[in-house]
Amino acid sequence: MEQKNPNGVWYFRRRVSQEVRKHYPKLNKRNEIYFSLQMKDRKEAAALAHRKATEQDEFWKSVKNGEVAAGPEVISAAIAMLDTYGLRPGQSVEYTGDELQVDNFLDDLRIKAGTFRPEDQRENWQNDLPLIHRRAADLFFGEKPPMFLSEGLKRYFELTGEDPESRQGIGRSRVVNYFISVCGDLPVDRYTRTHAIGFVRYLLEERENKTDTVTRRLNDIRPIFRRSAVNLNCRIGKSSSHY
């Protein structure tokens, strides 16, 4: 982080590696991400900068592994796209069982990928689809939507019956929001020990919580991870090749 002027707002600066630069069309001449955090408070700006860096790390890792990460808004947009065709996630098994085809949906996907013409029927054409179209197809053909932490909190309240407006519920929501502000809103199974260590450091150093308070915070958030990962089977499957 840096400040242009004393007592001014803080700025985020980070160099982007060659492998992922094509995903950032507005880098500066030094191939850096550079923008205002719009905060003068150093602790708040540091927390936001850490969250942005963590989100970027996950995105860059996904790009390098050949899988671009999709956030909650992308999944929601993909489900909304299926709805415009009168389809829903996982419905391909019904069409297969009844020997039906989803012609309009598949035709539109091919048009988007530029392979609608008979003379251009290359393999793996789905790799050229825009992200939302690709996710919509993956969901339709059986990929389970990832369980992001923000959604995991909502599901936890639904499944346990805990009142979000109760003292316990408000406290649990507050801890989850702290965690997301530091580590980003990721699929539950994508968080690592590094995220946990960073969160504990944030509570101790940035929020100046005592050890007992940190323990209580962790006890508030652990059940959400446990229930989301085990009971809701939130893991992201591999991309489907059925379309």
Side-chain angles (χ1 to χ4, degrees), residues 12 20 33 35 45 53 62 68 78 88 100 116 128 130 148 166 177 185 205-206 220 234:
F12 180 96
V20 297
I33 298 172
F35 59 87
S62 296
V68 179
R88 62 180 184 275
L100 299 174
F116 187 69
D128 295 330
F148 291 87
S166 67
N177 289 333
D185 191 7
E205 298 176 2
E206 301 295 335
D220 279 339
C234 65

Side-chain angles (χ1 to χ4, degrees), residues 105-116 121 125 129:
F105 180 52
L106 292 178
D107 286 350
D108 285 353
L109 291 182
R110 287 189 172 276
I111 290 172
K112 284 292 183 182
T115 62
F116 187 69
Q121 297 299 317
W125 58 270
L129 285 169

Side-chain angles (χ1 to χ4, degrees), residues 18 65 69 79 128:
Q18 180 67 43
N65 291 341
I79 293 174
D128 295 330

Side-chain angles (χ1 to χ4, degrees), residues 158-170:
E158 293 173 358
L159 293 171
T160 63
E162 182 174 283
D163 184 359
E165 301 300 323
S166 67
R167 182 176 180 180
Q168 181 66 40
I170 292 173

Side-chain angles (χ1 to χ4, degrees), residues 61-161:
K61 180 180 178 181
S62 296
V63 170
K64 292 175 183 179
N65 291 341
E67 296 181 1
V68 179
E73 71 284 350
V74 174
I75 298 299
S76 296
I79 293 174
M81 176 179 291
L82 287 178
D83 186 61
T84 65
Y85 291 91
L87 304 174
R88 62 180 184 275
Q91 197 178 12
S92 65
V93 293
E94 298 176 15
Y95 279 79
T96 301
D98 294 334
E99 298 183 353
L100 299 174
Q101 295 293 326
V102 283
D103 293 335
N104 291 339
F105 180 52
L106 292 178
D107 286 350
D108 285 353
L109 291 182
R110 287 189 172 276
I111 290 172
K112 284 292 183 182
T115 62
F116 187 69
R117 295 173 298 176
E119 63 271 20
D120 188 14
Q121 297 299 317
R122 61 184 180 275
E123 294 182 0
N124 299 322
W125 58 270
Q126 60 270 25
N127 293 334
D128 295 330
L129 285 169
L131 178 58
I132 293 175
H133 291 74
R134 175 74 180 272
R135 287 301 183 192
D138 288 340
L139 293 174
F140 176 75
F141 285 104
E143 181 181 284
K144 295 181 179 179
M147 176 66 72
F148 291 87
L149 182 55
S150 56
E151 180 64 22
L153 175 63
K154 297 176 184 177
R155 288 291 191 91
Y156 179 86
F157 287 141
E158 293 173 358
L159 293 171
T160 63

